[in-house]
Amino acid sequence: MGKVTAAITGVNGYVPDYVLSNEELAKIVDTTDEWITTRTGIKERRIQKEGASSDMAVEAVNGLLAKMNLDPMEIDLVIVGTVTPDHPFPSTSNIICDKVGMKNAWGFDLIAACSGFIYALSTGAQFIETGKYKKVLVIGVDKMSSIIDYEDRTTCIIFGDGCGVVLLEPNEEGLGVQDFILRADGSGREFLIQPAGGSANPPTIETVENRLHYVKQEGKSVFKFAVTNMAEVSAEIMEKNNLTSDDVDWLVPHQANLRIIDATANRMGLPAEKVMINIEKYGNTTAGTLPLCLWDYEKQLKKGDTLILSAFGGGFTWGAVYLKWAYNA
Ligand code: UT7
């Protein structure tokens, strides 16, 4: 028997219907479509008007199970990357399992902001590689509109709501997750943070009045760290695995800013046609961006394709995953 690797065998996504365009944002805050487009690449984002993160995930998971003809009872483990859980506790994973009827599964939420999906994917892969589980769902979901200040033009233009999910299963052909590099530097925490609502600043009238339950970001500082670290870690995983730019079929980058994506692709020596981009229609959905890219590009992926997933986010957290795609859509 060959070595067991963890392969993505299915992907699905869900984005809410409501489209918040740059033009509509320009009526709410002092900004323009031109500024947002040239500085970020974003044209519109989706907003979930009702319901919680779990409700988007339920749509995505039910769609995946139907697409793959799977019974919810077959799922062993559900890992949810999110910074917008339904509640501080119980976990959103618990809630999704209940709503979908995955009664044989257990799971947990994992907080790594925009790196949530690569952290969760790498974690989920371990449970497959050890032989412990056969079917693991890895979900990236965020309802960013629930923590975004629509009076702050430096953040509200960037973020949107959405969810993506992948199924991990054992593979003995050497496909699936090959390697990952994950990094964290908590000294960067002040640059991108939701200051209140946790044990450091429990909710009070003052925290609400001071708008401390919303995302605060020092955009320029985060930008500098993101450009450097996302590009570096993506190049590092290529070098570590002796991959040239010709060997890489797809870069799947976190969708935070088109300029960060371009810098990463340049550092890896990849032409634009090898880079997955959907930032123009969804903005930054935090843990949702990478599985939403895989969902959008699924039909173009071929069995054996080499993918590098890479992300940078609040924490700071960042990293890259090298995987071989396991199926033709
Ligand atoms: O996903 C997690 C990680 N997050 C990121 O990777 C985000 C990283 N940061 C960024 O993407 C960028 O820093 C932003 C898109 C947030 C901002 O772009 P920037 O090119 O860094 O702009 P800036 O903050 O340097 O601001 C430039 C100017 C300022 O005006 P002055 O001081 O030059 O007069 C801002 O006040 O643009 C102004 N500005 C805006 N103008 C119109 C800031 N936001 C806006 C806006 N519309 N929405």
Side-chain angles (χ1 to χ4, degrees):
M1 206 173 88
K3 180 180 181 287
V4 173
T5 48
I8 293 177
T9 55
V11 57
N12 199 40
Y14 173 82
V15 288
D17 293 335
Y18 189 85
V19 177
L20 176 58
S21 66
N22 289 351
E23 287 76 14
E24 190 180 344
L25 271 174
K27 292 179 191 152
I28 306 171
V29 289
D30 181 16
T31 191
T32 60
D33 170 49
E34 206 250 331
W35 193 96
I36 301 171
T37 306
T38 52
R39 297 290 176 122
T40 69
I42 302 166
K43 298 297 287 182
E44 57 191 41
R45 64 291 292 142
R46 301 299 182 96
I47 301 295
Q48 188 190 21
K49 291 283 186 183
E50 279 170 19
S53 290
S54 70
D55 295 306
M56 288 192 285
V58 165
E59 293 286 340
V61 170
N62 278 334
L64 181 67
L65 297 178
K67 190 169 156 182
M68 303 198 67
N69 207 10
L70 285 175
D71 189 291
M73 300 294 274
E74 292 178 67
I75 303 301
D76 301 306
L77 171 64
V78 178
I79 306 178
V80 182
T82 187
V83 291
T84 52
D86 288 18
H87 309 281
F89 79 92
S91 79
T92 306
S93 171
N94 281 174
I95 297 168
I96 297 166
C97 287
D98 177 52
K99 288 181 177 174
V100 172
M102 298 185 282
K103 295 200 182 298
N104 287 323
W106 70 283
F108 54 93
D109 297 355
L110 189 156
I111 303 175
C114 298
S115 308
F117 186 74
I118 54 169
Y119 270 46
L121 178 64
S122 309
T123 305
Q126 307 312 301
F127 286 91
I128 297 282
E129 286 177 20
T130 56
K132 181 79 184 164
Y133 294 132
K134 300 282 183 256
K135 288 185 170 47
V136 174
L137 290 184
V138 178
I139 299 172
V141 62
D142 272 300
K143 181 182 176 173
M144 293 307 292
S145 62
S146 66
I147 56 170
I148 288 299
D149 184 350
Y150 286 91
E151 292 184 7
D152 176 5
R153 69 175 181 172
T154 68
T155 51
C156 73
I157 55 136
I158 300 171
F159 293 99
D161 302 338
C163 176
V165 54
V166 299
L167 175 68
L168 290 179
E169 291 185 277
N171 185 285
E172 289 184 29
E173 296 177 87
L175 301 171
V177 175
Q178 307 290 309
D179 193 16
F180 57 83
I181 301 173
L182 298 175
R183 297 262 151 77
D185 178 1
S187 69
R189 63 191 177 279
E190 298 297 336
F191 295 116
L192 181 49
I193 189 168
Q194 183 188 358
S199 57
N201 292 307
T204 61
I205 289 173
E206 287 72 33
T207 63
V208 172
E209 281 175 351
N210 291 323
R211 311 182 81 77
L212 295 179
H213 295 267
Y214 292 125
V215 171
K216 307 290 175 198
Q217 173 173 257
E218 272 185 43
K220 249 190 179 25
S221 308
V222 178
F223 186 88
K224 273 191 220 149
F225 281 102
V227 163
T228 310
N229 289 308
M230 206 166 120
E232 275 308 310
V233 78
S234 307
E236 188 185 340
I237 202 161
M238 285 173 69
E239 281 154 29
K240 191 176 161 210
N241 290 281
N242 296 315
L243 297 171
T244 67
S245 50
D246 287 340
D247 298 324
V248 176
D249 297 294
W250 293 99
L251 167 65
V252 193
H254 172 51
Q255 312 281 305
N257 188 314
L258 202 49
R259 292 180 287 150
I260 300 172
I261 297 173
D262 287 345
T264 304
N266 284 339
R267 177 78 175 76
M268 297 167 76
L270 296 182
E273 58 270 20
K274 287 187 173 184
V275 184
M276 294 191 188
I277 291 173
N278 60 14
I279 190 170
E280 71 285 355
K281 54 181 183 173
Y282 304 142
N284 182 350
T285 55
T286 303
T289 62
L290 295 176
L292 282 172
C293 274
L294 294 174
W295 179 49
D296 274 354
Y297 282 79
E298 185 188 19
K299 289 197 172 59
Q300 296 181 54
L301 294 171
K302 290 184 216 66
K303 187 173 175 179
D305 276 357
T306 292
L307 276 62
I308 304 288
L309 283 64
S310 92
F312 182 90
F316 291 130
T317 57
W318 69 101
V321 177
Y322 159 33
L323 66 82
K324 288 204 167 290
W325 197 249
Y327 65 96
N328 296 311

